[in-house]
């Protein structure tokens, strides 16, 4: 069975600083990888996804992530964060062929301070 | 128009009661889910239906019973509520055998006193 580890439960940064949120996964088969964002009192929405092809994936709101198969990682990055990026970020994985079962990490709370 | 809508948004009830949460999606998707998010924000899949058929049933107490009258609706009924059932319950939908991109509702916060 697949699993996801988000290495940091909380990441505080200052506005306009770069940020990296770390995610590692484990699976015995090939996977699809995702980052979702949850703003306060809202549901989750997709930031970006890796299915195949280029290992560098660009998403909404200036975020990007890089799939590294050898390190089983899918870290999320943004070169310059805004106050409005404050939210909970979830990494998720699904096995190829079982796209209906998405397994989430425990989330990373990103707090952007002025 | 809301794509995935859940009602009620907030629910406060006493232990031992029975309650239901409703979910509707207007995206034309064929697969719907219930996820539970605990106080530490951990998201765990509970159930999934595809075209009214149960396809995922995780280890969930049988006090929880999902019902899908049609592919656009997935309701969750909970019997004999316990304190540990307090959580935010999220409904989501997707196209089956899609790549895992889920569309979530805004959540239903259940508080059991």
């Amino acid at each position: 069975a697949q699993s996801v580890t988000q290495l940091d439960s909380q990441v505080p940064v200052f506005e306009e600083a770069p940020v990296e949120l770390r995610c590692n996964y484990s699976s015995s088969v090939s996977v699809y990888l995702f980052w979702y964002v949850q703003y306060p009192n809202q549901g989750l929405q997709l930031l970006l996804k890796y299915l195949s092809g280029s290992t560098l994936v660009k998403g909404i709101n200036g975020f990007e992530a890089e799939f590294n198969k050898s390190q089983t990682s899918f870290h999320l990055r943004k070169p310059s964060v805004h106050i409005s990026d404050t939210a909970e970020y979830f990494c998720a994985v699904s096995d190829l062929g079982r796209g209906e079962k998405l397994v989430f990490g425990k989330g990373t709370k990103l707090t952007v301070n002025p | 128009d809301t794509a995935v809508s859940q009602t009620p948004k907030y629910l406060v009830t006493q232990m031992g009661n029975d309650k239901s949460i409703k979910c509707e999606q207007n995206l034309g998707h064929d697969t719907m889910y219930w996820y539970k998010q605990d106080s530490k924000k951990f998201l765990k899949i509970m159930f999934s239906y595809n075209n009214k058929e149960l396809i995922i049933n995780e280890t969930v107490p049988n006090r929880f019973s999902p019902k899908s009258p049609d592919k656009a609706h997935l309701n969750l009924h909970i019997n004999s509520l316990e304190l540990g059932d307090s959580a935010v319950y999220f409904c989501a939908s997707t196209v089956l055998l899609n790549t895992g991109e889920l569309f979530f509702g805004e959540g239903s916060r259940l508080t059991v006193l």
Side-chain angles (χ1 to χ4, degrees), chain B residues 2 4 20 33 40 50 57 64-65 69 72 87-88 92 95 101 110:
Chain B
T2 303
V4 181
S20 293
Y33 302 79
K40 295 185 178 179
N50 171 248
N57 185 353
F64 290 79
S65 52
V88 182
V95 177
E101 179 175 354
L110 172 65

Side-chain angles (χ1 to χ4, degrees), chain B residues 35-48:
Chain B
Y35 276 84
K36 179 181 180 181
Q37 187 175 48
D38 64 22
S39 59
K40 295 185 178 179
K41 300 285 187 178
F42 182 53
L43 267 165
K44 185 171 168 53
I45 191 169
M46 300 174 70
F47 302 103
S48 178

Side-chain angles (χ1 to χ4, degrees), chain B residues 13-27:
Chain B
T13 189
Q14 300 287 330
M15 267 197 315
N17 284 350
D18 303 338
K19 290 293 178 186
S20 293
I21 306 171
K22 296 186 176 182
C23 179
E24 175 182 6
Q25 54 94 3
N26 62 8
L27 297 167

Side-chain angles (χ1 to χ4, degrees), chain A residues 32 34 36 38 42-44 46 49 51 88 90 94 97-102 104 106, chain B residues 33 35 37 40-43 55-56 58 90 96-102 104-106:
Chain A
Y32 297 140
F34 308 83
Y36 281 80
Q38 184 180 26
Q42 293 187 28
L44 283 74
L46 184 69
K49 60 186 176 185
L51 307 179
E88 194 87 27
F90 292 91
S94 68
R98 286 223 67 190
E100 75 275 8
K101 188 169 181 182
L102 199 61
F104 287 88
K106 293 192 175 183
Chain B
Y33 302 79
Y35 276 84
Q37 187 175 48
K40 295 185 178 179
K41 300 285 187 178
F42 182 53
L43 267 165
I55 59 171
I56 295 175
E58 293 294 290
F90 285 99
L96 183 62
L97 301 182
N98 197 7
T99 52
E101 179 175 354
L102 301 184
F104 283 83
E106 293 196 341

